[in-house]
């Protein structure tokens, strides 16, 4: 029989605060990224578009990746140190899976795409009329905040229950019929 060490009340609150703040920072950076992408794609001014798309490369990727990693680590600590566990409940397991997946996408998919878009932004600022920001940069701006909001909803409503039923049978109260009359 394995026992898990639970976090004390204060430690749990501290880790929960870090988890909530890192998730909020992640969502905030994602929303700022979205604003800059919308500005870059919707403006007629090449200088504004170039600056907006370069700003994404300057501020978004590493802070967003850092927030996702802090969110993941604090979530793992909360899962291991609480009654919810890491993969006992569907909502926790799905959030962990989403966090790992989105962190990997930031590092290996979004980062190169944003770096390429920043080069296009630099060309726009240099006056290159052939420099056009790819419209597919809008996809992460829609998908990522949607997934993060879904994770928030999972945290609040905790749907679907346990992944599998407990291995220990439920204790039943036994009635002794002898002498019951």
């Amino acid at each position: 029989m394995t026992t898990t060490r639970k976090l004390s009340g204060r430690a749990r609150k501290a880790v929960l605060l870090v988890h909530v703040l890192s998730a909020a920072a992640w969502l905030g950076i994602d929303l700022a990224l979205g604003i800059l992408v919308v500005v870059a794609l919707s403006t007629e001014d090449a200088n504004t578009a170039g600056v907006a798309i370069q700003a994404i490369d300057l501020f978004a990727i590493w802070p967003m990746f850092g927030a996702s990693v802090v969110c993941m680590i604090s979530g793992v600590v909360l899962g291991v140190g609480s009654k919810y566990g890491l993969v006992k409940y569907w909502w926790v397991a799905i959030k962990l899976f989403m966090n790992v997946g989105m962190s990997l996408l930031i590092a290996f998919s979004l980062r190169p795409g944003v770096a390429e878009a920043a080069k296009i932004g630099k060309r726009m600022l240099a006056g290159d009329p052939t420099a056009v920001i790819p419209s597919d940069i809008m996809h992460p701006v829609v998908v990522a905040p949607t997934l993060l909001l879904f994770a928030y909803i999972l945290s609040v409503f905790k749907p679907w229950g346990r992944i599998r039923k407990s291995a220990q049978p439920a204790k039943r109260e036994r009635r002794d019929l002898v002498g019951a009359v």
Side-chain angles (χ1 to χ4, degrees), residues 85-172:
L86 212 46
V87 289
K88 285 183 185 177
Y89 289 85
W90 281 108
W91 67 274
V92 177
I94 289 170
K95 280 182 55 181
L96 177 61
F97 176 78
M98 286 173 40
N99 192 309
V100 170
M102 291 175 69
S103 296
L104 291 172
L105 285 173
I106 291 168
F108 297 109
S109 182
L110 186 61
R111 184 179 54 81
V114 167
E116 185 59 36
K119 289 177 188 173
I120 293 169
K122 189 174 184 178
R123 288 180 28 221
M124 292 174 95
L125 288 172
D128 182 351
T130 64
V132 177
I133 299 167
S135 61
D136 66 348
I137 199 161
M138 191 68 179
H139 296 129
V141 169
V142 173
V143 173
T146 303
L147 290 174
L148 290 171
L149 287 173
F150 181 64
Y152 277 82
I153 290 167
L154 291 177
S155 295
V156 172
F157 293 102
K158 300 172 180 45
W160 308 310
R162 293 181 75 93
I163 291 178
R164 58 188 143 121
K165 300 292 180 200
S166 177
Q168 298 174 349
K171 291 183 179 181
R172 293 186 195 173

Side-chain angles (χ1 to χ4, degrees), residues 58-73:
L58 291 175
F59 93 90
I61 300 302
W62 292 114
M64 188 182 337
F65 182 73
S68 75
V69 170
V70 170
C71 189
M72 184 178 359
I73 291 169

